[in-house]
Structure formats: structure tokens, C-alpha cells
């Protein structure tokens, strides 16, 4: 559900490229998309409207159409016996719902819990890079800054960035979009609502969800989320501070080089490090600029980049389904 969206299109491609064992594929979206088609295995699949009836009767339903739609329709899918994997924020912080990044906390999956949430994209990318370092010792604090792409806001925000860039280059009238600042050749604080403490919703998701995924409610996290004029893949800087431990750069590099879902790109001689362009279209989280924090013996700093439409959303969801089936069958 949400097949016509930025993430939905990735799901369909992944089903094909990973040979996901599908007998029958149903693609759902809003009434606006009814009758459109998307290609799957060389054949067009006609989009149907997402309704209580159309989300029923399937083994697995992937929800990727926003929290409101998940809240409205996930219960019907669950009632019909489906495994429901939800990409939205609707159920992530429900204590009864596993919030899963398979490389990090596959053990949170149980056979009985048939509603599973996919974490926020920024949190997933962060967790894939940070979790392996817990083999060195306990983490005290994460200090994070993000450089998030337009596709994180969905297909419409990508279109806005492209149109605004074209307008600047052609010196024509610039488009406007739902209160967003000018986007071409600009960047801005993440466009989610700011709460009382001055943190926006995206930042609070990263804080709360990281704690839940790592099972560490006391983990200190400070994060600033910023959107940059990049179409695809999020980049983040993170300083990981350990409790009473001063790990060497080499220890960190050695762990990351064999960590699942991580690819180290850290070539100081060539100044070659993770970028959103390198991360786009691939499932690994890229990690580089591995260095000791010059200001704190307990800190290690990293630059990471990940395709948030893939590992931050569709790929993580498909991996959850694959892991669930491996562990428990259908
Ligand atoms: N973009 C990301 O990087 C990212 C990362 C992680 C999680 N997510 C989550 O994934 C979900 C989809 O995000 P997206 O970026 O793919 O958004 P998007 O590009 O805006 O696509 C939204 C999808 O939802 C469908 N939809 C909208 N209103 C609907 C309705 N009333 N009934 C049924 N379907 C409806 C749309 O169908 P129509 O085309 O018919 O309007 C479209 O398929 C969201 O929950 C988002 O929070 C996104």
C-alpha cells in the first residue's frame, strides 16, 4: 500500500531483484491512482484503491502511505490474518510493536506480534553504523547532525527541488510548496513541527526510536536534522561517546569493516568518503571519516550515508519480512 510513492516504487523493484517469493502481488494507493500500472516482472500491475476490503486477504501487507492511512487500515489487514509491516510512524513507539532493524535487533521479532514497525529512516541509517560499536563497550551519548535529502519528504518534495532548481537556472518564476523555504541552492531545518523543547518531530523520532531499537532508554542523544538540496540518500555525522572507554580508531575501523550492512569508505589520501551519490541505489550504509574525537578521549566521530528509500524504508521492511519468515514461517 502506497505503491505509487517514492518508497512504494522501491518496494516493487526490491520484490523483483530479491526474488521475494510472491504468488500474487496487489498494489494499492489512493483513489487518484486507480487504473495506473506499475511494472513487475515484465508485466503491468494495475493499481487498486486502498480500502478495508482491499487490504484483506493477503499473507503480508506492507504499509507505506503515511501514518493516518496506516492507523485507518492496518487493523483490517491484521484482523484478516496478515503479517503487517508498517513504514509509517503510526505504531513505532507502541510498546507492543517491535521496531526492527534486522542487523541490529532481529531478536525483537516474535511469532505472535504480527504488526511490525519500520523505524524512521534517519534512525535506521544511524543504528546500522552505531550498533556494531557496542561490541567495544557501553555507549553513553550520540551527537548527530543530518543532511537529509528531498526524497525523505516523498515524491512531491523531490519534484519541488527539481522544479525550483530549473526555475533558478532558467531565471523563471520559482514554485512554492506547502510553506517550505526556497529549496534550490539552499538548505533548511527539517520541515516537521517544533515541540516545546525546541526539537522538531524528526529529531524526537531519532532520539526515541534509537533508544527503543537499542533497548537503552537512558541513551543520551542530541540531534539536529537539516534538509539539503540532494534528491536521494541521507548523510549524517555522528560522534559516539563511550562510557569510561577510549576506543582506538583502529578498533572502530576493524569492527565496522565486518559489520553487517556496513561498507567502509574511508580513503584519507584521496579525500574519498561517503556521499549521498555513492549511497544512492544501494542497500549498505556507507561509513567513513573514522577518527578519534579530538575534544574528548571517549569519542569517535563518523560520517555516514545511506539510501533512505532503500535501507531507510523499503529494503528494511522487506528484510523484516524475510527475517520473520526465516524464523517463524508464514
Ligand atoms: N520517503 C522516505 O524517505 C521515507 C523513509 C521512511 C519511511 N517513509 C514513510 O513511507 C511512507 C510513504 O512515504 P513516501 O515518501 O513514499 O511518500 P509519497 O511519495 O508521498 O507517497 C505516498 C503514497 O501514499 C499514497 N496515498 C496517499 N494518500 C492515500 C490515501 N488516502 N489512501 C491510500 N494511499 C494514499 C500515495 O498514493 P497516490 O499516488 O495515489 O497519492 C502514494 O502511493 C510514509 O509513511 C513515510 O513516512 C518514507
Amino acid at each position: 500500500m502506497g505503491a505509487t510513492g517514492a518508497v512504494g516504487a522501491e518496494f516493487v523493484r526490491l520484490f523483483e531483484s530479491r526474488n521475494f517469493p510472491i504468488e500474487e502481488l496487489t498494489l494499492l494507493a489512493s483513489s487518484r491512482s486507480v487504473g495506473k500500472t506499475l511494472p513487475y516482472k515484465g508485466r503491468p500491475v494495475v493499481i487498486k484503491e486502498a480500502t478495508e476490503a482491499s487490504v484483506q486477504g493477503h499473507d503480508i501487507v506492507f504499509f507505506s502511505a503515511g501514518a493516518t492511512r496506516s492507523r485507518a487500515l492496518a487493523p483490517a489487514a491484521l484482523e484478516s490474518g496478515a503479517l503487517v509491516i508498517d513504514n509509517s510512524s503510526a505504531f513505532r513507539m507502541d510498546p507492543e510493536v517491535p521496531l526492527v532493524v534486522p542487523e541490529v535487533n532481529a531478536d525483537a521479532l516474535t511469532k505472535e506480534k504480527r504488526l511490525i514497525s519500520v523505524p524512521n529512516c534517519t534512525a535506521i541509517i544511524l543504528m546500522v553504523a552505531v550498533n556494531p560499536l557496542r561490541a567495544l563497550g557501553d555507549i553513553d551519548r550520540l551527537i548527530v547532525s543530518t543532511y537529509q535529502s528531498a526524497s525523505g519528504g516523498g515524491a512531491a518534495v523531490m519534484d519541488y527541488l527539481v522544479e525550483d532548481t530549473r526555475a533558478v537556472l532558467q531565471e523563471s518564476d520559482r514554485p512554492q510548496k506547502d510553506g517550505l523555504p526556497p529549496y534550490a541552492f539552499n538548505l533548511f531545518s527539517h520541515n516537521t513541527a517544533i515541540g516545546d523543547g525546541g526539537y522538531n518531530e524528526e529529531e524526537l523520532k531519532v532520539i526515541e526510536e534509537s533508544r527503543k531499537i537499542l533497548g537503552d532508554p537512558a541513551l543520551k542523544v542530541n540531534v539536529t536534522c537539516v534538509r539539503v538540496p540532494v534528491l536521494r540518500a541521507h548523510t549524517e555525522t555522528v560522534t559516539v561517546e563511550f562510557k569510561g572507554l577510549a576506543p582506538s580508531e583502529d578498533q572502530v575501523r576493524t569492527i565496522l569493516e565486518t559489520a553487517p550492512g556496513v561498507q567502509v569508505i574511508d580513503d584519507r589520501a584521496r579525500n574519498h568518503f561517503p556521499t549521498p551519490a555513492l549511497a544512492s541505489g544501494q542497500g549498505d550504509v556507507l561509513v567513513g571519516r573514522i577518527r578519534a574525537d579530538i575534544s574528548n578521549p571517549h569519542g569517535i566521530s563518523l560520517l555516514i550515508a545511506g539510501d533512505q528509500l532503500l535501507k531507510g524504508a523499503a529494503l528494511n521492511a522487506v528484510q523484516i519480512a524475510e527475517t520473520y519468515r526465516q524464523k517463524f514461517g508464514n
Side-chain angles (χ1 to χ4, degrees), residues 17 31 39 77 83 124 127 145 170 206 227 245 249 256 261 263 266 270 272 294 298 311-312 323:
S17 65
S31 54
L83 179 69
I124 294 177
M127 290 298 100
S145 294
Q170 293 176 346
V206 174
R227 270 210 202 287
L245 182 91
E249 191 189 291
L256 288 173
Q263 204 186 117
D266 200 26
R270 288 173 54 225
H272 182 61
I294 204 167
H298 305 296
K311 185 56 194 167
T323 310

Side-chain angles (χ1 to χ4, degrees), residues 23-241:
E23 199 176 295
E24 189 183 337
L25 177 67
T26 303
L27 300 181
L28 304 174
S30 79
S31 54
R32 296 179 288 275
S33 299
V34 171
K36 289 183 191 166
T37 61
L38 278 173
Y40 172 68
K41 295 202 168 168
R43 289 209 222 119
V45 180
V46 180
I47 312 281
K48 295 182 186 159
E49 184 176 359
T51 62
E52 284 199 358
S54 66
V55 298
Q56 297 194 319
H58 313 286
D59 294 318
I60 307 180
V61 185
F62 295 95
F63 278 84
S64 190
T68 310
R69 264 77 65 183
S70 291
R71 278 193 205 98
L73 296 180
L78 282 167
E79 265 164 40
S80 74
L83 179 69
V84 172
I85 300 179
D86 182 32
N87 235 333
S88 82
S89 59
F91 311 107
R92 287 180 189 151
M93 293 312 294
D94 181 332
E96 292 305 312
V97 176
L99 182 66
V100 177
V101 182
E103 296 89 337
V104 177
N105 65 336
D107 54 353
L109 295 171
T110 64
K111 188 167 199 258
E112 295 69 34
K113 293 192 174 166
R114 304 273 293 170
L115 168 60
I116 303 160
S117 278
V118 179
N120 166 276
C121 48
T122 307
I124 294 177
I125 291 164
L126 180 66
M127 290 298 100
V128 170
V130 163
N131 177 61
L133 303 182
R134 297 205 297 165
L136 292 168
D138 289 343
I139 292 173
D140 183 40
R141 182 157 77 135
L142 303 176
I143 303 168
V144 184
S145 294
T146 73
Y147 310 78
Q148 298 184 217
S149 62
S151 49
V157 181
M158 294 172 84
D159 291 345
Y160 172 53
L161 173 56
V162 170
E163 283 162 23
D164 196 31
T165 307
R166 190 176 290 129
V168 170
L169 294 175
Q170 293 176 346
E171 298 182 16
S172 57
D173 288 346
R174 297 185 62 176
Q176 294 194 339
K177 168 94 188 129
D178 305 335
L180 290 183
Y183 203 171
F185 307 101
N186 195 16
L187 55 80
F188 51 90
S189 175
H190 196 278
N191 52 301
T192 42
I194 307 262
D196 289 343
Y199 284 77
N200 61 44
E201 283 170 6
E202 181 81 353
E203 291 161 351
L204 294 174
K205 284 177 189 169
V206 174
I207 295 167
E208 288 162 5
E209 294 182 24
S210 298
R211 289 174 175 159
K212 179 168 174 180
I213 295 162
L214 295 182
D216 182 358
L219 180 72
K220 298 174 200 156
V221 184
N222 190 7
V223 53
T224 305
C225 290
V226 172
R227 270 210 202 287
V228 295
V230 162
L231 277 176
R232 181 166 175 153
H234 290 352
T235 305
E236 306 175 25
T237 57
V238 54
T239 296
V240 183
E241 293 181 354

Side-chain angles (χ1 to χ4, degrees), residues 300-314:
I300 287 286
S301 293
L302 311 170
L303 174 72
I304 65 185
D307 188 327
Q308 95 294 341
L309 294 176
L310 288 174
K311 185 56 194 167

Side-chain angles (χ1 to χ4, degrees), residues 279-303:
S280 288
Q282 62 154 307
D284 284 343
V285 171
L286 311 183
V287 183
R289 297 296 318 276
I290 302 168
R291 63 203 192 279
D293 179 348
I294 204 167
S295 67
N296 173 7
H298 305 296
I300 287 286
S301 293
L302 311 170
L303 174 72

